[in-house]
Amino acid sequence: MGSVQIVTTILAAAITAVAVVLAVRAVMKMTAVIRLGQPAPERFADKGARTTKMLVETAGHTRMLKWSVVGAAHWFVMVGFIVLSLLVLEAYFEVVSTGGGLPIVGHWTVFGLVTEWIGILGLVGIVVLMAIRLRNRPSRPENRSRFTGSTMWQGYFVEWVVLLVLIFGFVIRGFKVATDHFEYPVWATPLSHAVGAALPAWPAGVSVAALIKIMISMTWLIVISLNVTMGVAWHRFLAFPNIFFKRDPEKPAGSGLGPLRPMTSEGKPLDFEEADPEKDQFGVAQVEQFTWKGLLDFSTCTECGRCQSQCPAWNTGKPLSPKLLVLSLRDHAYAKAPYLLAGGGKDLTGEEKATEAQLAHMDVLALAEAERPLIGSAEEGGVIDPDVLWSCTTCGACVEQCPVDIEHVDHIVDMRRYQVLIESSFPSEAGVMLRNLENKGNPWGAPQNTREDWTKGLGFEVPRVGEVDDFEYLFWVGCAGAFEDRAKKTTRAVATLLNEAGVSFAILGEGETCSGDPARRIGNEFVFQMLAQQNVETLNEAFEGREKSKRKIVATCPHCFNTLGNEYGQLGGEFEVVHHTQLLAHLVSAGKLTPVQPVDGGVTYHDPCYLGRHNRVFAAPREVLGDSIQGELTEMPRNSERSFCCGAGGARMWMEEKIGKRINVDRVEEAMATGAKTIAVGCPFCSTMLNDGVNGKGAGEDVEVVDVASVLLRSVKPDAPAGEKETAPAAG
């Protein structure tokens, strides 16, 4: 060992020791913060499925590859980081000796070949990612960048570290080539040999380059260890457990889509018959009241902004960005952590847990952070502004796009639950809807005895449950389908088509009440459970004696479809629920319905969030429309998984939209830009919102918003009155 090698070895050992100590301290701190969260025992079930899903999502980059160029580049960088970590380890042998290398595998040609090409592709990948970040930097005034609000220096720092580590990997190999210490042939390592041809035969070059590579790598580790909220770096470690502990590993897309998490206290579902607000947690009022998985979510955020770029609220000038919400909760949690870890915190009655003696020795900044309300205006020092909380439509676009499976919607609704149930703090106009649900069983407050009025004048009898001995499908009409004029046309069209196809069905009539979706998503879990338990009891009685596969329900509203099919199971209601477009597609393919009259003028289809993104029903409505128009649909740029919300979900249907551009107007403009004369929908909420948008644009005479069922009915029975044009004036 020469003098150069002695110096490089000492320096490498010193900086590594510092980095390792700081990294261990950082990991312990992060673990302690995450453990502050509430229990979530269900996250430990199905370990085999969780492991499989985690490996598929990470190794296959299934979520990242939705953004093809970025996903491919990121995959090469990720694989490079994992595999080429071996070359960082090899650098410790190279600082000691010019001819040093990894034991056993270090001399295999296949190892040289694999690491060479991973290094080359990693270089290409990181350059692509750097170019994308620069092109989308928030400082460019013409961009509404997905990086707005991200900590840009951290992104640049991480990317430059990756680039320099890769470069110095080839520099080390180049010096080995130049000094004749390289064991791999040219065909396996062409770039290394090309670099070596340009470098001098400096014997100490290998050790010096290896030291620089180690110093770059350890500087990165030191920096991220001193910045535990640096998600853009830490996600490469935290993504694995965050994906492993996702809510439902069996789901093909975002785990936080479809049903909401039930309200829990101490890790157990809340029973409202026995719950006590002084002993049981009602929603989330303090950051430590999120589950530990929630705190892991916040820590894992990469600040990539994919959620932000797809969010309908953010894209229409509202203050909600799912990314910035998560970052605010993350920063608050870590700033408050010293106070919590020292024994501080409020109990459910608002009393301080720590003694005066403990508080006297606590960090002043942490104490100040602890006094901030979780939900509050800037003047109140709130972590999350109320306008941010109530802008969410729960459309799930953020969850769909997140590459590390953060469950934004669950966290937002958990905060809403506390605001509604304990603080009674929510947009005032929604209060009317909640009172109507409690008193009348529907959001509009319509008399229950008018639920069956839509059946009048159909020309055939619509059977009620209890009036017929048997039926194949229970037709869940829903509140909109029973009371809202536009939606009633859809209900009549579906009933007409089912009758035409010879499908036996029955309705509950006045026995049906609201599914509870708007109550649950605004945060009123109590009203939801009241309505849901009533419906579950009614449905179980209607299906008494049938196994689940024969407890079939067809629903025209995706919100009812989602609630009955995905959430009633939490309350003992197990049913096979289909959306009407799925059943109609089956009936057409089976030859029980035959479209004969093509619908002309061009048709575009708007994917309802709770049908498409939340429940993956994309093909069925398109199949029905394709058969009806006997041609191809004109798709909007944002469709299927990336469909843009109509603005009605998350109980926003009953709240005023006072900030920014109206979401429905944005969507209508996109639909009208296709040139289609018909905007087909599969949801009564979407129908109302898009109709309002079309009328607001003054295009009601030229563009029609109509349900898929009505489009099919016009084609099957061109003269049927139920398929008349849906041009009712906008709802007030």
Side-chain angles (χ1 to χ4, degrees):
M1 181 186 292
S3 58
V4 172
Q5 283 73 31
I6 292 173
V7 172
T8 55
T9 300
I10 292 171
L11 291 175
I15 194 170
T16 301
V18 172
V20 169
V21 168
L22 291 175
V24 169
R25 190 181 72 172
V27 169
M28 291 175 65
K29 179 177 180 180
M30 295 177 76
T31 303
V33 171
I34 291 167
R35 286 168 61 91
L36 287 169
Q38 300 302 302
E42 73 280 1
R43 304 284 182 168
F44 293 92
D46 303 319
K47 291 185 176 66
R50 292 180 181 281
T51 301
T52 300
K53 177 61 74 171
M54 183 265 290
L55 292 174
V56 168
E57 280 199 19
T58 52
H61 252 42
T62 53
R63 297 173 71 77
M64 283 292 297
L65 286 172
K66 293 175 183 178
W67 301 61
S68 54
V69 174
V70 177
H74 192 275
W75 187 85
F76 287 121
V77 172
M78 180 201 73
V79 172
F81 177 82
I82 295 172
V83 175
L84 299 183
S85 295
L86 290 173
L87 297 188
V88 175
L89 177 61
E90 186 176 49
Y92 286 94
F93 293 90
E94 292 162 339
V95 295
V96 176
S97 169
T98 300
L102 283 176
I104 305 175
V105 300
H107 299 286
W108 293 354
T109 298
V110 67
F111 177 74
L113 173 68
V114 170
T115 52
E116 178 86 358
W117 284 99
I118 288 177
I120 291 171
L121 294 172
L123 276 171
V124 173
I126 196 61
V127 169
V128 169
L129 293 181
M130 292 173 80
I132 290 171
R133 187 177 295 272
L134 287 169
R135 188 185 66 197
N136 291 284
R137 63 188 184 275
S139 58
R140 295 182 66 179
E142 69 272 19
N143 280 359
R144 187 166 177 79
S145 171
R146 64 184 173 94
F147 294 117
T148 298
S150 298
T151 315
M152 294 302 288
W153 75 262
Q154 294 180 354
Y156 293 137
F157 171 75
V158 168
E159 288 166 348
W160 273 103
V161 165
V162 172
L163 179 64
L164 291 173
V165 166
L166 289 169
I167 289 173
F168 273 91
F170 285 105
V171 171
I172 293 169
R173 286 186 164 188
F175 275 120
K176 281 188 171 183
V177 170
T179 56
D180 202 25
H181 287 95
F182 199 53
E183 53 272 286
Y184 307 126
V186 175
W187 66 265
T189 54
L191 183 56
S192 295
H193 279 272
V195 173
L199 292 176
W202 179 31
V206 172
S207 296
V208 171
L211 173 64
I212 295 172
K213 181 176 181 177
I214 289 170
M215 291 184 73
I216 293 170
S217 300
M218 292 305 106
T219 298
W220 175 80
L221 189 56
I222 289 169
V223 170
I224 73 167
S225 298
L226 295 174
N227 293 273
V228 290
T229 59
M230 194 172 176
V232 70
W234 282 106
H235 84 272
R236 63 191 57 199
F237 305 112
L238 297 177
F240 297 97
N242 207 55
I243 294 170
F244 179 87
F245 288 116
K246 65 160 64 183
R247 176 145 61 88
D248 186 353
E250 300 292 348
K251 280 199 171 183
S255 172
L257 295 171
L260 287 171
R261 282 184 68 250
M263 274 183 66
T264 60
S265 181
E266 294 296 328
K268 299 176 183 177
L270 203 62
D271 183 348
F272 278 97
E273 292 184 2
E274 301 178 359
D276 181 352
E278 293 189 0
K279 297 178 181 177
D280 297 301
Q281 181 179 316
F282 278 55
V284 169
Q286 304 288 335
V287 72
E288 64 271 21
Q289 291 177 349
F290 287 106
T291 66
W292 61 261
K293 174 57 169 63
L295 296 177
L296 178 59
D297 270 358
F298 308 152
S299 302
T300 308
C301 179
T302 72
E303 304 190 25
C304 66
R306 287 175 179 79
C307 58
Q308 181 172 287
S309 70
Q310 301 295 298
C311 176
W314 177 260
N315 277 285
T316 53
K318 295 165 184 64
L320 169 64
S321 156
K323 176 187 72 178
L324 298 181
L325 179 139
V326 166
L327 297 187
S328 295
L329 293 170
R330 178 199 68 189
D331 294 345
H332 173 60
Y334 280 89
K336 188 178 179 181
Y339 159 77
L340 296 170
L341 293 171
K346 302 285 198 305
D347 63 20
L348 294 173
T349 64
E351 294 296 318
E352 177 59 58
K353 297 177 184 178
T355 64
E356 288 187 14
Q358 285 178 303
L359 292 174
H361 296 91
M362 282 187 186
D363 185 293
V364 175
L365 294 177
L367 282 172
E369 193 71 26
E371 293 302 315
R372 298 180 65 193
L374 191 65
I375 306 299
S377 65
E379 292 76 15
E380 296 167 326
V383 178
I384 304 297
D385 190 278
D387 284 335
V388 169
L389 186 68
W390 297 109
S391 291
C392 180
T393 66
T394 69
C395 71
C398 49
V399 179
E400 168 77 38
Q401 291 299 325
C402 182
V404 292
D405 275 301
I406 292 171
E407 297 161 7
H408 313 73
V409 173
D410 282 340
H411 304 321
I412 288 171
V413 173
D414 271 340
M415 290 186 285
R416 284 183 172 186
R417 284 166 168 166
Y418 181 83
Q419 293 299 305
V420 172
L421 294 171
I422 302 300
E423 297 291 337
S424 295
S425 177
F426 51 89
S428 58
E429 60 269 21
V432 176
M433 177 268 292
L434 290 173
R435 286 192 296 274
N436 285 336
L437 288 178
E438 289 190 72
N439 300 326
K440 299 289 188 179
N442 67 85
W444 287 275
Q448 185 71 355
N449 60 11
T450 62
R451 266 196 184 269
E452 300 178 33
D453 284 1
W454 64 269
T455 63
K456 296 176 181 177
L458 275 177
F460 59 90
E461 285 296 318
V462 176
R464 281 76 176 163
V465 171
E467 296 178 357
V468 289
D469 294 331
D470 195 20
F471 54 89
E472 184 178 3
Y473 286 94
L474 188 151
F475 181 13
W476 182 271
V477 177
C479 298
F483 301 121
E484 204 273 330
D485 288 341
R486 279 178 289 248
K488 281 197 284 188
K489 294 176 183 177
T490 299
T491 307
R492 291 166 63 86
V494 171
T496 302
L497 288 165
L498 294 182
N499 182 69
E500 181 77 12
V503 176
S504 61
F505 69 96
I507 62 172
L508 291 172
E510 293 183 30
E512 183 183 303
T513 191
C514 181
S515 68
D517 165 85
R520 186 168 227 197
R521 276 152 184 80
I522 202 174
N524 198 324
E525 186 74 4
F526 176 78
V527 170
F528 164 73
Q529 291 206 18
M530 178 186 74
L531 295 167
Q533 286 169 352
Q534 179 180 335
N535 283 326
V536 166
E537 185 178 335
T538 301
L539 291 168
N540 282 339
E541 184 178 335
F543 288 121
E544 188 173 4
R546 298 193 193 189
E547 62 269 26
K548 182 182 177 181
S549 63
K550 293 185 179 179
R551 296 157 68 93
K552 297 180 182 179
I553 299 174
V554 58
T556 57
C557 174
H559 297 264
C560 296
F561 166 67
N562 178 69
T563 304
L564 272 64
N566 293 328
E567 297 185 335
Y568 277 15
Q570 299 170 1
L571 300 170
E574 297 290 337
F575 313 109
E576 291 288 338
V577 187
V578 298
H579 189 251
H580 71 284
T581 59
Q582 294 176 295
L583 180 54
L584 294 178
H586 167 71
L587 294 174
V588 171
S589 66
K592 294 183 178 181
L593 291 173
T594 305
V596 293
Q597 175 76 37
V599 177
D600 56 15
V603 178
T604 189
Y605 174 64
H606 163 79
D607 288 274
C609 300
Y610 274 85
L611 181 64
R613 190 156 39 236
H614 279 281
N615 285 285
R616 323 312 293 171
V617 179
F618 301 117
R622 287 174 167 81
E623 291 169 3
V624 173
L625 291 170
D627 289 327
S628 301
I629 65 177
Q630 299 180 20
E632 291 293 322
L633 282 175
T634 304
E635 292 281 10
M636 287 181 261
R638 294 177 291 192
N639 64 76
S640 303
E641 292 92 341
R642 293 191 190 176
S643 180
F644 197 69
C645 183
C646 74
R652 289 291 324 172
M653 178 87 167
W654 291 274
M655 300 183 223
E656 292 297 327
E657 196 170 347
K658 302 172 182 176
I659 304 172
K661 184 179 182 180
R662 293 183 67 87
I663 294 172
N664 61 333
V665 171
D666 191 295
R667 185 56 165 169
V668 160
E669 288 173 351
E670 184 175 9
M672 291 173 61
T674 66
K677 298 301 181 184
T678 299
I679 304 172
V681 298
C683 171
F685 290 1
C686 296
S687 176
T688 295
M689 299 299 285
L690 298 187
N691 258 298
D692 289 357
V694 167
N695 291 335
K697 299 292 291 183
E701 294 299 317
D702 303 313
V703 178
E704 177 186 13
V705 180
V706 64
D707 191 88
V708 171
S710 292
V711 175
L712 178 62
L713 182 59
R714 292 176 188 176
S715 182
V716 172
K717 300 181 71 174
D719 299 324
E724 64 189 278
K725 212 177 177 191
E726 298 187 9
T727 55

